[in-house]
Amino acid sequence: MTSKTEASEGAMAEYVTAVIGGQLFGLPISRVQDVFMPERLTRVPLSSAEIAGVLNLRGRIVTVIDMRARLGLPKAEDGQPPMAVGVDQRGESYGLLIDQIGEVLRLPDAGREDNPVNLDPRMAKLAGGVHRLDGQLMVVLDVDRVLELVPDAKAA
């Protein structure tokens, strides 16, 4: 049962914002476990380029995914160390490498739109919609799609 206030405001969603390759992304806050600076990444032999490596984070083994590679973007050349957003899926821990962490935004669900037809296909396959903000577009990352790391048939 919803209160009259909630019904008049509409449902709200909270997003942790991140910048990857100059593009603003939003991750549903319910999926974010933590934000950290990845240190001492260990490469995984024969893994895809999207897997940056693994690391030990407070006693847990975390698979780190390079979001630039996942989005088909070139490596960052600004010299800034990447940050990571920790997420869990089915009991496994993952870190999504991003360029920069932003703030938490609380946005109305009604403001979320389907992916525009002109959205870059590399982003569209990982996006669960967009929010139009003042002067920019925030792409909502679908964490489940991001973590689908099944190699393409052509790569096999």
Side-chain angles (χ1 to χ4, degrees), residues 42 45 55 60 108 114 138:
T42 303
L55 57 81
R60 293 184 320 188
D114 289 337
M138 182 185 82

mmCIF file of all heavy atoms in Angstrom, residues 42 45 55 60 108 114 138:
data_model
loop_
_atom_site.group_PDB
_atom_site.id
_atom_site.type_symbol
_atom_site.label_atom_id
_atom_site.label_comp_id
_atom_site.label_asym_id
_atom_site.label_seq_id
_atom_site.Cartn_x
_atom_site.Cartn_y
_atom_site.Cartn_z
ATOM 1 N N THR A 42 45.818 -8.879 -10.367
ATOM 2 C CA THR A 42 46.519 -10.031 -10.917
ATOM 3 C C THR A 42 45.834 -10.419 -12.218
ATOM 4 O O THR A 42 44.633 -10.706 -12.220
ATOM 5 C CB THR A 42 46.474 -11.214 -9.929
ATOM 6 O OG1 THR A 42 47.041 -10.793 -8.690
ATOM 7 C CG2 THR A 42 47.234 -12.407 -10.477
ATOM 8 N N PRO A 45 45.396 -15.450 -16.848
ATOM 9 C CA PRO A 45 45.866 -15.954 -18.139
ATOM 10 C C PRO A 45 44.703 -16.437 -19.011
ATOM 11 O O PRO A 45 43.751 -17.037 -18.524
ATOM 12 C CB PRO A 45 46.779 -17.123 -17.761
ATOM 13 C CG PRO A 45 47.139 -16.898 -16.335
ATOM 14 C CD PRO A 45 45.995 -16.156 -15.720
ATOM 15 N N LEU A 55 41.503 -9.456 -7.710
ATOM 16 C CA LEU A 55 42.176 -8.887 -6.557
ATOM 17 C C LEU A 55 41.502 -9.382 -5.289
ATOM 18 O O LEU A 55 40.399 -9.921 -5.325
ATOM 19 C CB LEU A 55 42.209 -7.357 -6.609
ATOM 20 C CG LEU A 55 40.899 -6.578 -6.727
ATOM 21 C CD1 LEU A 55 40.210 -6.437 -5.396
ATOM 22 C CD2 LEU A 55 41.199 -5.197 -7.282
ATOM 23 N N ARG A 60 37.896 -11.230 0.124
ATOM 24 C CA ARG A 60 37.092 -11.808 -0.965
ATOM 25 C C ARG A 60 37.859 -11.668 -2.270
ATOM 26 O O ARG A 60 38.513 -10.657 -2.509
ATOM 27 C CB ARG A 60 35.758 -11.063 -1.120
ATOM 28 C CG ARG A 60 34.824 -11.226 0.019
ATOM 29 C CD ARG A 60 33.512 -10.553 -0.243
ATOM 30 N NE ARG A 60 33.708 -9.271 -0.923
ATOM 31 C CZ ARG A 60 32.764 -8.391 -1.140
ATOM 32 N NH1 ARG A 60 31.555 -8.624 -0.767
ATOM 33 N NH2 ARG A 60 33.021 -7.265 -1.762
ATOM 34 N N PRO A 108 13.123 10.395 -10.650
ATOM 35 C CA PRO A 108 11.820 9.731 -10.768
ATOM 36 C C PRO A 108 11.859 8.619 -11.817
ATOM 37 O O PRO A 108 12.432 8.787 -12.887
ATOM 38 C CB PRO A 108 10.879 10.856 -11.190
ATOM 39 C CG PRO A 108 11.753 11.908 -11.780
ATOM 40 C CD PRO A 108 13.095 11.775 -11.139
ATOM 41 N N ASP A 114 13.299 4.629 -22.631
ATOM 42 C CA ASP A 114 13.946 3.524 -23.338
ATOM 43 C C ASP A 114 15.199 4.060 -24.023
ATOM 44 O O ASP A 114 15.325 5.264 -24.252
ATOM 45 C CB ASP A 114 13.010 2.932 -24.390
ATOM 46 C CG ASP A 114 11.859 2.157 -23.759
ATOM 47 O OD1 ASP A 114 11.993 1.710 -22.603
ATOM 48 O OD2 ASP A 114 10.825 2.007 -24.431
ATOM 49 N N MET A 138 22.231 10.524 -19.051
ATOM 50 C CA MET A 138 22.789 9.512 -18.158
ATOM 51 C C MET A 138 22.279 8.148 -18.630
ATOM 52 O O MET A 138 21.080 7.910 -18.685
ATOM 53 C CB MET A 138 22.352 9.728 -16.705
ATOM 54 C CG MET A 138 22.968 8.705 -15.760
ATOM 55 S SD MET A 138 22.386 8.819 -14.065
ATOM 56 C CE MET A 138 20.837 7.925 -14.178
#
